[in-house]
Amino acid sequence: MEPDPVKKTITMGKMARYSGAGNIHSDEETARERGLGGALAQGGQLVGYLNEMMLKALGPGFLSGGEISVTFIRPVRPGDEVTARATQKAAASENGRKRVEFEIWLENQNGEKCVVGTAAGFAPP
Amino acid sequence: MPLTWDEVKVGAETGRVDLLVTDAMIEEYLEAMELDLRWFAAPSPPYAARIAPPDMVPKLSMNALFQEFLHREIGPNIRAKQAFSFYAPIPVGTRVHAVGRLVEKYERRGRRFVTFEALFTDDSGKKLVLDRRTQLVLGQDFNIEKK
């Protein structure tokens, strides 16, 4: 199975709503002072988009028994358009249920991977 | 006064949280994330109650569990890695408990990293979600272009 991609447009407003005001995720100057080159989306926000993709694919099989593990390799900034994607890499039977594992990533509008990792859960019956 | 790197102790407790999951928390999270899935909007099979998005409770707890400790004891940081294990859905009205711990510290290519964990449980001790995150410590000379 291949989860459907999830697409999001990143804006400063969405970053501030998720992370609050006056920090590296919502204030350009604060982020520049820390050597970050400007505001960047919080990691949790980006993992949330990958979780959304897995939830749409697996539903309760991700809510109970789901796992996700990612590394942040490239910043995501206001104006970026990101897409969560996955490809299945394994499947196995576990207590009568089908457990599936995926390679997952979040890429930007240039096709550059920003977040990479793996996810797993139980396929719908 | 922040700790020196040698004073950062693996195993240290970094924070605690007790949180009652409410409808308002879920509403705010769904809007912020543009998330529209039926289990989070209202009670929907196979669940008898409305449930929270699985990463909502960790998101709402991160300051108390990790970030206040980080800013007080270590300094500015950004997330380098994140892992979740979702054991069970979290219905509205659940009181959730967790203790944050620093479980690993290491240096790689001249950068310093600290890893934290927190296991969220309900009043009965039932496991709900495990949050494991690694933060890159931003030193004075940090420049993301050289990351």
PDB file of all heavy atoms in Angstrom, chain A residues 8 14 17-18 24 35 42 45 48 51 59-60 64-70 72, chain B residues 28 31 33-34 47 55 59 62 78-84 86 89 142 144:
ATOM      1  N   LYS A   8       0.933  20.771   2.247  1.00  0.00           N
ATOM      2  CA  LYS A   8       0.645  21.935   3.086  1.00  0.00           C
ATOM      3  C   LYS A   8       1.483  23.123   2.585  1.00  0.00           C
ATOM      4  O   LYS A   8       2.637  22.941   2.171  1.00  0.00           O
ATOM      5  CB  LYS A   8       1.020  21.671   4.550  1.00  0.00           C
ATOM      6  CG  LYS A   8       0.350  20.454   5.184  1.00  0.00           C
ATOM      7  CD  LYS A   8      -1.092  20.724   5.570  1.00  0.00           C
ATOM      8  CE  LYS A   8      -1.668  19.496   6.249  1.00  0.00           C
ATOM      9  NZ  LYS A   8      -3.068  19.683   6.673  1.00  0.00           N
ATOM     10  N   LYS A  14       0.761  30.235  10.225  1.00  0.00           N
ATOM     11  CA  LYS A  14       0.595  28.854  10.689  1.00  0.00           C
ATOM     12  C   LYS A  14       1.704  28.472  11.662  1.00  0.00           C
ATOM     13  O   LYS A  14       1.467  27.756  12.639  1.00  0.00           O
ATOM     14  CB  LYS A  14       0.614  27.899   9.491  1.00  0.00           C
ATOM     15  CG  LYS A  14      -0.595  28.022   8.581  1.00  0.00           C
ATOM     16  CD  LYS A  14      -0.457  27.089   7.388  1.00  0.00           C
ATOM     17  CE  LYS A  14      -1.572  27.328   6.387  1.00  0.00           C
ATOM     18  NZ  LYS A  14      -1.422  26.489   5.168  1.00  0.00           N
ATOM     19  N   ARG A  17       0.918  30.124  14.928  1.00  0.00           N
ATOM     20  CA  ARG A  17      -0.227  29.487  15.580  1.00  0.00           C
ATOM     21  C   ARG A  17       0.201  28.189  16.257  1.00  0.00           C
ATOM     22  O   ARG A  17      -0.246  27.862  17.343  1.00  0.00           O
ATOM     23  CB  ARG A  17      -1.320  29.203  14.559  1.00  0.00           C
ATOM     24  CG  ARG A  17      -2.508  28.495  15.149  1.00  0.00           C
ATOM     25  CD  ARG A  17      -3.790  29.089  14.686  1.00  0.00           C
ATOM     26  NE  ARG A  17      -4.859  28.716  15.568  1.00  0.00           N
ATOM     27  CZ  ARG A  17      -6.133  28.778  15.236  1.00  0.00           C
ATOM     28  NH1 ARG A  17      -6.470  29.229  14.062  1.00  0.00           N
ATOM     29  NH2 ARG A  17      -7.060  28.432  16.085  1.00  0.00           N
ATOM     30  N   TYR A  18       1.077  27.450  15.606  1.00  0.00           N
ATOM     31  CA  TYR A  18       1.529  26.182  16.180  1.00  0.00           C
ATOM     32  C   TYR A  18       2.513  26.405  17.329  1.00  0.00           C
ATOM     33  O   TYR A  18       2.446  25.736  18.352  1.00  0.00           O
ATOM     34  CB  TYR A  18       2.188  25.315  15.107  1.00  0.00           C
ATOM     35  CG  TYR A  18       2.575  23.938  15.607  1.00  0.00           C
ATOM     36  CD1 TYR A  18       1.671  22.879  15.553  1.00  0.00           C
ATOM     37  CD2 TYR A  18       3.839  23.695  16.159  1.00  0.00           C
ATOM     38  CE1 TYR A  18       2.010  21.623  16.030  1.00  0.00           C
ATOM     39  CE2 TYR A  18       4.182  22.439  16.638  1.00  0.00           C
ATOM     40  CZ  TYR A  18       3.260  21.418  16.574  1.00  0.00           C
ATOM     41  OH  TYR A  18       3.597  20.173  17.055  1.00  0.00           O
ATOM     42  N   ILE A  24      11.956  31.283  17.694  1.00  0.00           N
ATOM     43  CA  ILE A  24      12.640  31.033  16.415  1.00  0.00           C
ATOM     44  C   ILE A  24      11.695  30.520  15.333  1.00  0.00           C
ATOM     45  O   ILE A  24      12.055  30.492  14.157  1.00  0.00           O
ATOM     46  CB  ILE A  24      13.811  30.034  16.578  1.00  0.00           C
ATOM     47  CG1 ILE A  24      13.308  28.687  17.119  1.00  0.00           C
ATOM     48  CG2 ILE A  24      14.891  30.622  17.484  1.00  0.00           C
ATOM     49  CD1 ILE A  24      14.370  27.595  17.123  1.00  0.00           C
ATOM     50  N   GLY A  35      21.527  32.183  14.583  1.00  0.00           N
ATOM     51  CA  GLY A  35      22.271  31.554  13.496  1.00  0.00           C
ATOM     52  C   GLY A  35      21.431  30.698  12.571  1.00  0.00           C
ATOM     53  O   GLY A  35      21.951  29.884  11.813  1.00  0.00           O
ATOM     54  N   GLN A  42       8.625  24.587  13.289  1.00  0.00           N
ATOM     55  CA  GLN A  42       8.997  23.690  14.377  1.00  0.00           C
ATOM     56  C   GLN A  42       8.928  22.227  13.912  1.00  0.00           C
ATOM     57  O   GLN A  42       8.025  21.839  13.152  1.00  0.00           O
ATOM     58  CB  GLN A  42       8.049  23.890  15.565  1.00  0.00           C
ATOM     59  CG  GLN A  42       8.457  23.093  16.783  1.00  0.00           C
ATOM     60  CD  GLN A  42       7.515  23.269  17.970  1.00  0.00           C
ATOM     61  OE1 GLN A  42       7.270  22.320  18.703  1.00  0.00           O
ATOM     62  NE2 GLN A  42       6.986  24.472  18.161  1.00  0.00           N
ATOM     63  N   GLN A  45       5.600  20.416  14.177  1.00  0.00           N
ATOM     64  CA  GLN A  45       4.607  20.761  13.164  1.00  0.00           C
ATOM     65  C   GLN A  45       4.815  19.886  11.929  1.00  0.00           C
ATOM     66  O   GLN A  45       3.857  19.364  11.355  1.00  0.00           O
ATOM     67  CB  GLN A  45       4.749  22.243  12.806  1.00  0.00           C
ATOM     68  CG  GLN A  45       3.733  22.747  11.802  1.00  0.00           C
ATOM     69  CD  GLN A  45       3.890  24.246  11.516  1.00  0.00           C
ATOM     70  OE1 GLN A  45       4.704  24.938  12.142  1.00  0.00           O
ATOM     71  NE2 GLN A  45       3.131  24.746  10.573  1.00  0.00           N
ATOM     72  N   GLY A  48       3.843  16.390  12.474  1.00  0.00           N
ATOM     73  CA  GLY A  48       2.387  16.312  12.454  1.00  0.00           C
ATOM     74  C   GLY A  48       1.834  16.048  11.061  1.00  0.00           C
ATOM     75  O   GLY A  48       0.860  15.308  10.899  1.00  0.00           O
ATOM     76  N   ASN A  51       2.430  12.456  10.403  1.00  0.00           N
ATOM     77  CA  ASN A  51       1.441  11.682  11.154  1.00  0.00           C
ATOM     78  C   ASN A  51       0.083  11.702  10.460  1.00  0.00           C
ATOM     79  O   ASN A  51      -0.622  10.694  10.414  1.00  0.00           O
ATOM     80  CB  ASN A  51       1.291  12.243  12.576  1.00  0.00           C
ATOM     81  CG  ASN A  51       2.432  11.834  13.489  1.00  0.00           C
ATOM     82  OD1 ASN A  51       3.074  10.809  13.277  1.00  0.00           O
ATOM     83  ND2 ASN A  51       2.682  12.629  14.506  1.00  0.00           N
ATOM     84  N   GLY A  59      -5.311   4.726   9.912  1.00  0.00           N
ATOM     85  CA  GLY A  59      -6.381   4.992  10.876  1.00  0.00           C
ATOM     86  C   GLY A  59      -6.079   4.414  12.247  1.00  0.00           C
ATOM     87  O   GLY A  59      -4.989   4.637  12.802  1.00  0.00           O
ATOM     88  N   PRO A  60      -7.031   3.649  12.833  1.00  0.00           N
ATOM     89  CA  PRO A  60      -6.814   3.091  14.172  1.00  0.00           C
ATOM     90  C   PRO A  60      -5.561   2.219  14.269  1.00  0.00           C
ATOM     91  O   PRO A  60      -5.003   2.064  15.361  1.00  0.00           O
ATOM     92  CB  PRO A  60      -8.088   2.263  14.396  1.00  0.00           C
ATOM     93  CG  PRO A  60      -9.129   2.973  13.585  1.00  0.00           C
ATOM     94  CD  PRO A  60      -8.399   3.418  12.347  1.00  0.00           C
ATOM     95  N   SER A  64      -3.088   2.942  17.562  1.00  0.00           N
ATOM     96  CA  SER A  64      -2.730   1.897  18.528  1.00  0.00           C
ATOM     97  C   SER A  64      -1.691   0.996  17.873  1.00  0.00           C
ATOM     98  O   SER A  64      -2.040   0.133  17.069  1.00  0.00           O
ATOM     99  CB  SER A  64      -3.952   1.071  18.921  1.00  0.00           C
ATOM    100  OG  SER A  64      -4.940   1.868  19.514  1.00  0.00           O
ATOM    101  N   GLY A  65      -0.449   1.231  18.195  1.00  0.00           N
ATOM    102  CA  GLY A  65       0.617   0.418  17.627  1.00  0.00           C
ATOM    103  C   GLY A  65       1.427   1.114  16.553  1.00  0.00           C
ATOM    104  O   GLY A  65       2.321   0.503  15.960  1.00  0.00           O
ATOM    105  N   GLY A  66       1.143   2.377  16.315  1.00  0.00           N
ATOM    106  CA  GLY A  66       1.894   3.123  15.318  1.00  0.00           C
ATOM    107  C   GLY A  66       3.225   3.619  15.860  1.00  0.00           C
ATOM    108  O   GLY A  66       3.360   3.879  17.066  1.00  0.00           O
ATOM    109  N   GLU A  67       4.194   3.739  14.972  1.00  0.00           N
ATOM    110  CA  GLU A  67       5.508   4.274  15.338  1.00  0.00           C
ATOM    111  C   GLU A  67       5.993   5.185  14.222  1.00  0.00           C
ATOM    112  O   GLU A  67       5.737   4.919  13.042  1.00  0.00           O
ATOM    113  CB  GLU A  67       6.523   3.145  15.530  1.00  0.00           C
ATOM    114  CG  GLU A  67       6.205   2.217  16.681  1.00  0.00           C
ATOM    115  CD  GLU A  67       7.219   1.086  16.787  1.00  0.00           C
ATOM    116  OE1 GLU A  67       7.459   0.432  15.768  1.00  0.00           O
ATOM    117  OE2 GLU A  67       7.746   0.898  17.881  1.00  0.00           O
ATOM    118  N   ILE A  68       6.698   6.223  14.615  1.00  0.00           N
ATOM    119  CA  ILE A  68       7.296   7.126  13.630  1.00  0.00           C
ATOM    120  C   ILE A  68       8.622   7.622  14.189  1.00  0.00           C
ATOM    121  O   ILE A  68       8.738   7.866  15.399  1.00  0.00           O
ATOM    122  CB  ILE A  68       6.342   8.299  13.289  1.00  0.00           C
ATOM    123  CG1 ILE A  68       6.890   9.143  12.141  1.00  0.00           C
ATOM    124  CG2 ILE A  68       6.046   9.149  14.513  1.00  0.00           C
ATOM    125  CD1 ILE A  68       5.857  10.108  11.551  1.00  0.00           C
ATOM    126  N   SER A  69       9.619   7.707  13.322  1.00  0.00           N
ATOM    127  CA  SER A  69      10.946   8.157  13.742  1.00  0.00           C
ATOM    128  C   SER A  69      11.563   8.950  12.601  1.00  0.00           C
ATOM    129  O   SER A  69      11.690   8.427  11.490  1.00  0.00           O
ATOM    130  CB  SER A  69      11.828   6.956  14.088  1.00  0.00           C
ATOM    131  OG  SER A  69      13.121   7.386  14.470  1.00  0.00           O
ATOM    132  N   VAL A  70      11.924  10.196  12.854  1.00  0.00           N
ATOM    133  CA  VAL A  70      12.409  11.048  11.768  1.00  0.00           C
ATOM    134  C   VAL A  70      13.625  11.870  12.192  1.00  0.00           C
ATOM    135  O   VAL A  70      13.874  12.089  13.379  1.00  0.00           O
ATOM    136  CB  VAL A  70      11.306  12.028  11.270  1.00  0.00           C
ATOM    137  CG1 VAL A  70      10.098  11.273  10.754  1.00  0.00           C
ATOM    138  CG2 VAL A  70      10.924  13.021  12.352  1.00  0.00           C
ATOM    139  N   PHE A  72      15.507  15.624  11.055  1.00  0.00           N
ATOM    140  CA  PHE A  72      15.293  16.897  10.357  1.00  0.00           C
ATOM    141  C   PHE A  72      16.590  17.282   9.657  1.00  0.00           C
ATOM    142  O   PHE A  72      17.613  17.484  10.305  1.00  0.00           O
ATOM    143  CB  PHE A  72      14.869  17.984  11.350  1.00  0.00           C
ATOM    144  CG  PHE A  72      13.633  17.602  12.111  1.00  0.00           C
ATOM    145  CD1 PHE A  72      13.733  16.998  13.361  1.00  0.00           C
ATOM    146  CD2 PHE A  72      12.376  17.796  11.576  1.00  0.00           C
ATOM    147  CE1 PHE A  72      12.600  16.606  14.058  1.00  0.00           C
ATOM    148  CE2 PHE A  72      11.235  17.407  12.263  1.00  0.00           C
ATOM    149  CZ  PHE A  72      11.350  16.814  13.507  1.00  0.00           C
TER     150      PHE A  72
ATOM    151  N   GLU B  28      -8.204  23.643  18.945  1.00  0.00           N
ATOM    152  CA  GLU B  28      -7.075  24.514  18.637  1.00  0.00           C
ATOM    153  C   GLU B  28      -6.033  23.774  17.796  1.00  0.00           C
ATOM    154  O   GLU B  28      -5.509  24.308  16.812  1.00  0.00           O
ATOM    155  CB  GLU B  28      -6.444  25.025  19.939  1.00  0.00           C
ATOM    156  CG  GLU B  28      -5.136  25.786  19.766  1.00  0.00           C
ATOM    157  CD  GLU B  28      -5.271  27.053  18.926  1.00  0.00           C
ATOM    158  OE1 GLU B  28      -6.382  27.602  18.866  1.00  0.00           O
ATOM    159  OE2 GLU B  28      -4.257  27.476  18.329  1.00  0.00           O
ATOM    160  N   GLU B  31      -7.203  23.180  14.121  1.00  0.00           N
ATOM    161  CA  GLU B  31      -7.141  24.401  13.304  1.00  0.00           C
ATOM    162  C   GLU B  31      -5.699  24.754  12.964  1.00  0.00           C
ATOM    163  O   GLU B  31      -5.395  25.124  11.827  1.00  0.00           O
ATOM    164  CB  GLU B  31      -7.830  25.546  14.037  1.00  0.00           C
ATOM    165  CG  GLU B  31      -9.342  25.382  14.096  1.00  0.00           C
ATOM    166  CD  GLU B  31     -10.037  26.603  14.658  1.00  0.00           C
ATOM    167  OE1 GLU B  31      -9.489  27.710  14.546  1.00  0.00           O
ATOM    168  OE2 GLU B  31     -11.133  26.437  15.222  1.00  0.00           O
ATOM    169  N   MET B  33      -3.210  22.809  12.664  1.00  0.00           N
ATOM    170  CA  MET B  33      -2.600  21.817  11.768  1.00  0.00           C
ATOM    171  C   MET B  33      -3.419  21.571  10.510  1.00  0.00           C
ATOM    172  O   MET B  33      -3.029  20.739   9.689  1.00  0.00           O
ATOM    173  CB  MET B  33      -2.404  20.504  12.523  1.00  0.00           C
ATOM    174  CG  MET B  33      -1.340  20.581  13.617  1.00  0.00           C
ATOM    175  SD  MET B  33       0.298  20.942  12.951  1.00  0.00           S
ATOM    176  CE  MET B  33       0.679  19.393  12.127  1.00  0.00           C
ATOM    177  N   GLU B  34      -4.561  22.263  10.380  1.00  0.00           N
ATOM    178  CA  GLU B  34      -5.448  22.032   9.227  1.00  0.00           C
ATOM    179  C   GLU B  34      -5.760  20.539   9.094  1.00  0.00           C
ATOM    180  O   GLU B  34      -5.685  19.961   8.009  1.00  0.00           O
ATOM    181  CB  GLU B  34      -4.799  22.534   7.939  1.00  0.00           C
ATOM    182  CG  GLU B  34      -4.383  23.985   7.990  1.00  0.00           C
ATOM    183  CD  GLU B  34      -3.550  24.381   6.786  1.00  0.00           C
ATOM    184  OE1 GLU B  34      -2.403  23.914   6.686  1.00  0.00           O
ATOM    185  OE2 GLU B  34      -4.054  25.147   5.954  1.00  0.00           O
ATOM    186  N   TYR B  47     -14.287   4.180  18.062  1.00  0.00           N
ATOM    187  CA  TYR B  47     -14.110   4.795  19.382  1.00  0.00           C
ATOM    188  C   TYR B  47     -15.439   5.340  19.911  1.00  0.00           C
ATOM    189  O   TYR B  47     -16.220   5.939  19.160  1.00  0.00           O
ATOM    190  CB  TYR B  47     -13.071   5.916  19.310  1.00  0.00           C
ATOM    191  CG  TYR B  47     -11.772   5.447  18.709  1.00  0.00           C
ATOM    192  CD1 TYR B  47     -11.328   5.944  17.487  1.00  0.00           C
ATOM    193  CD2 TYR B  47     -11.004   4.468  19.339  1.00  0.00           C
ATOM    194  CE1 TYR B  47     -10.159   5.489  16.912  1.00  0.00           C
ATOM    195  CE2 TYR B  47      -9.830   4.002  18.774  1.00  0.00           C
ATOM    196  CZ  TYR B  47      -9.408   4.517  17.561  1.00  0.00           C
ATOM    197  OH  TYR B  47      -8.251   4.059  16.989  1.00  0.00           O
ATOM    198  N   ASP B  55      -0.266  13.167  18.462  1.00  0.00           N
ATOM    199  CA  ASP B  55       0.887  13.975  18.861  1.00  0.00           C
ATOM    200  C   ASP B  55       0.488  15.267  19.572  1.00  0.00           C
ATOM    201  O   ASP B  55       1.343  16.090  19.878  1.00  0.00           O
ATOM    202  CB  ASP B  55       1.766  14.292  17.651  1.00  0.00           C
ATOM    203  CG  ASP B  55       0.970  14.829  16.465  1.00  0.00           C
ATOM    204  OD1 ASP B  55      -0.278  14.858  16.538  1.00  0.00           O
ATOM    205  OD2 ASP B  55       1.587  15.217  15.463  1.00  0.00           O
ATOM    206  N   LYS B  59       2.860  17.618  22.151  1.00  0.00           N
ATOM    207  CA  LYS B  59       3.093  19.014  21.753  1.00  0.00           C
ATOM    208  C   LYS B  59       2.744  19.978  22.898  1.00  0.00           C
ATOM    209  O   LYS B  59       3.491  20.915  23.189  1.00  0.00           O
ATOM    210  CB  LYS B  59       2.268  19.333  20.507  1.00  0.00           C
ATOM    211  CG  LYS B  59       2.470  20.739  19.942  1.00  0.00           C
ATOM    212  CD  LYS B  59       1.350  21.656  20.364  1.00  0.00           C
ATOM    213  CE  LYS B  59       1.413  23.020  19.724  1.00  0.00           C
ATOM    214  NZ  LYS B  59       2.446  23.876  20.224  1.00  0.00           N
ATOM    215  N   MET B  62       5.499  19.761  25.829  1.00  0.00           N
ATOM    216  CA  MET B  62       6.943  19.832  25.578  1.00  0.00           C
ATOM    217  C   MET B  62       7.640  20.927  26.383  1.00  0.00           C
ATOM    218  O   MET B  62       8.773  20.736  26.820  1.00  0.00           O
ATOM    219  CB  MET B  62       7.233  20.012  24.089  1.00  0.00           C
ATOM    220  CG  MET B  62       6.647  21.247  23.461  1.00  0.00           C
ATOM    221  SD  MET B  62       7.103  21.408  21.719  1.00  0.00           S
ATOM    222  CE  MET B  62       8.725  22.131  21.865  1.00  0.00           C
ATOM    223  N   ILE B  78      17.519  23.453  18.704  1.00  0.00           N
ATOM    224  CA  ILE B  78      16.482  23.094  17.725  1.00  0.00           C
ATOM    225  C   ILE B  78      16.400  21.567  17.657  1.00  0.00           C
ATOM    226  O   ILE B  78      17.340  20.864  18.025  1.00  0.00           O
ATOM    227  CB  ILE B  78      16.750  23.659  16.311  1.00  0.00           C
ATOM    228  CG1 ILE B  78      18.120  23.231  15.798  1.00  0.00           C
ATOM    229  CG2 ILE B  78      16.594  25.158  16.295  1.00  0.00           C
ATOM    230  CD1 ILE B  78      18.349  23.603  14.335  1.00  0.00           C
ATOM    231  N   ARG B  79      15.258  21.089  17.161  1.00  0.00           N
ATOM    232  CA  ARG B  79      15.058  19.646  17.117  1.00  0.00           C
ATOM    233  C   ARG B  79      15.855  19.029  15.970  1.00  0.00           C
ATOM    234  O   ARG B  79      15.837  19.524  14.860  1.00  0.00           O
ATOM    235  CB  ARG B  79      13.576  19.312  16.962  1.00  0.00           C
ATOM    236  CG  ARG B  79      13.241  17.953  17.532  1.00  0.00           C
ATOM    237  CD  ARG B  79      11.789  17.766  17.791  1.00  0.00           C
ATOM    238  NE  ARG B  79      11.127  18.981  18.269  1.00  0.00           N
ATOM    239  CZ  ARG B  79       9.827  19.046  18.519  1.00  0.00           C
ATOM    240  NH1 ARG B  79       9.074  17.981  18.355  1.00  0.00           N
ATOM    241  NH2 ARG B  79       9.281  20.167  18.942  1.00  0.00           N
ATOM    242  N   ALA B  80      16.512  17.949  16.298  1.00  0.00           N
ATOM    243  CA  ALA B  80      17.279  17.221  15.295  1.00  0.00           C
ATOM    244  C   ALA B  80      16.586  15.922  14.905  1.00  0.00           C
ATOM    245  O   ALA B  80      16.634  15.508  13.739  1.00  0.00           O
ATOM    246  CB  ALA B  80      18.679  16.919  15.817  1.00  0.00           C
ATOM    247  N   LYS B  81      15.957  15.262  15.885  1.00  0.00           N
ATOM    248  CA  LYS B  81      15.265  14.003  15.631  1.00  0.00           C
ATOM    249  C   LYS B  81      14.010  13.941  16.490  1.00  0.00           C
ATOM    250  O   LYS B  81      13.948  14.561  17.553  1.00  0.00           O
ATOM    251  CB  LYS B  81      16.164  12.795  15.975  1.00  0.00           C
ATOM    252  CG  LYS B  81      17.424  12.722  15.155  1.00  0.00           C
ATOM    253  CD  LYS B  81      18.232  11.481  15.514  1.00  0.00           C
ATOM    254  CE  LYS B  81      19.496  11.408  14.659  1.00  0.00           C
ATOM    255  NZ  LYS B  81      20.243  10.172  14.879  1.00  0.00           N
ATOM    256  N   GLN B  82      13.037  13.160  16.018  1.00  0.00           N
ATOM    257  CA  GLN B  82      11.796  12.984  16.778  1.00  0.00           C
ATOM    258  C   GLN B  82      11.261  11.583  16.521  1.00  0.00           C
ATOM    259  O   GLN B  82      11.238  11.126  15.375  1.00  0.00           O
ATOM    260  CB  GLN B  82      10.749  14.011  16.349  1.00  0.00           C
ATOM    261  CG  GLN B  82       9.390  13.826  16.989  1.00  0.00           C
ATOM    262  CD  GLN B  82       9.387  14.209  18.468  1.00  0.00           C
ATOM    263  OE1 GLN B  82       9.643  15.364  18.802  1.00  0.00           O
ATOM    264  NE2 GLN B  82       9.121  13.255  19.340  1.00  0.00           N
ATOM    265  N   ALA B  83      10.843  10.929  17.580  1.00  0.00           N
ATOM    266  CA  ALA B  83      10.198   9.618  17.437  1.00  0.00           C
ATOM    267  C   ALA B  83       9.010   9.553  18.388  1.00  0.00           C
ATOM    268  O   ALA B  83       9.058  10.099  19.498  1.00  0.00           O
ATOM    269  CB  ALA B  83      11.179   8.495  17.743  1.00  0.00           C
ATOM    270  N   PHE B  84       7.953   8.914  17.913  1.00  0.00           N
ATOM    271  CA  PHE B  84       6.795   8.626  18.758  1.00  0.00           C
ATOM    272  C   PHE B  84       6.440   7.149  18.617  1.00  0.00           C
ATOM    273  O   PHE B  84       6.525   6.581  17.523  1.00  0.00           O
ATOM    274  CB  PHE B  84       5.556   9.416  18.317  1.00  0.00           C
ATOM    275  CG  PHE B  84       5.626  10.893  18.541  1.00  0.00           C
ATOM    276  CD1 PHE B  84       5.636  11.763  17.454  1.00  0.00           C
ATOM    277  CD2 PHE B  84       5.653  11.431  19.818  1.00  0.00           C
ATOM    278  CE1 PHE B  84       5.677  13.132  17.641  1.00  0.00           C
ATOM    279  CE2 PHE B  84       5.698  12.809  20.012  1.00  0.00           C
ATOM    280  CZ  PHE B  84       5.709  13.652  18.930  1.00  0.00           C
ATOM    281  N   PHE B  86       2.934   5.202  19.454  1.00  0.00           N
ATOM    282  CA  PHE B  86       1.545   5.442  19.862  1.00  0.00           C
ATOM    283  C   PHE B  86       0.940   4.117  20.337  1.00  0.00           C
ATOM    284  O   PHE B  86       0.731   3.196  19.548  1.00  0.00           O
ATOM    285  CB  PHE B  86       0.748   6.011  18.691  1.00  0.00           C
ATOM    286  CG  PHE B  86       1.310   7.301  18.151  1.00  0.00           C
ATOM    287  CD1 PHE B  86       1.754   7.386  16.842  1.00  0.00           C
ATOM    288  CD2 PHE B  86       1.408   8.428  18.956  1.00  0.00           C
ATOM    289  CE1 PHE B  86       2.281   8.563  16.332  1.00  0.00           C
ATOM    290  CE2 PHE B  86       1.943   9.614  18.463  1.00  0.00           C
ATOM    291  CZ  PHE B  86       2.377   9.678  17.151  1.00  0.00           C
ATOM    292  N   PRO B  89      -5.212   5.279  21.801  1.00  0.00           N
ATOM    293  CA  PRO B  89      -5.816   6.601  21.598  1.00  0.00           C
ATOM    294  C   PRO B  89      -6.093   7.286  22.934  1.00  0.00           C
ATOM    295  O   PRO B  89      -6.257   6.627  23.962  1.00  0.00           O
ATOM    296  CB  PRO B  89      -7.107   6.289  20.841  1.00  0.00           C
ATOM    297  CG  PRO B  89      -7.379   4.863  21.107  1.00  0.00           C
ATOM    298  CD  PRO B  89      -6.067   4.189  21.324  1.00  0.00           C
ATOM    299  N   PHE B 142      26.904  29.035  16.102  1.00  0.00           N
ATOM    300  CA  PHE B 142      26.071  28.212  15.218  1.00  0.00           C
ATOM    301  C   PHE B 142      25.631  28.992  13.978  1.00  0.00           C
ATOM    302  O   PHE B 142      25.200  30.143  14.067  1.00  0.00           O
ATOM    303  CB  PHE B 142      24.833  27.702  15.957  1.00  0.00           C
ATOM    304  CG  PHE B 142      23.996  26.791  15.108  1.00  0.00           C
ATOM    305  CD1 PHE B 142      24.338  25.455  14.963  1.00  0.00           C
ATOM    306  CD2 PHE B 142      22.896  27.272  14.407  1.00  0.00           C
ATOM    307  CE1 PHE B 142      23.587  24.610  14.154  1.00  0.00           C
ATOM    308  CE2 PHE B 142      22.139  26.433  13.603  1.00  0.00           C
ATOM    309  CZ  PHE B 142      22.486  25.103  13.482  1.00  0.00           C
ATOM    310  N   ILE B 144      23.354  27.854  10.542  1.00  0.00           N
ATOM    311  CA  ILE B 144      22.641  26.725   9.944  1.00  0.00           C
ATOM    312  C   ILE B 144      23.181  26.364   8.573  1.00  0.00           C
ATOM    313  O   ILE B 144      23.080  25.226   8.130  1.00  0.00           O
ATOM    314  CB  ILE B 144      21.123  27.017   9.876  1.00  0.00           C
ATOM    315  CG1 ILE B 144      20.345  25.695   9.739  1.00  0.00           C
ATOM    316  CG2 ILE B 144      20.793  27.984   8.746  1.00  0.00           C
ATOM    317  CD1 ILE B 144      18.874  25.833  10.025  1.00  0.00           C
TER     318      ILE B 144
END
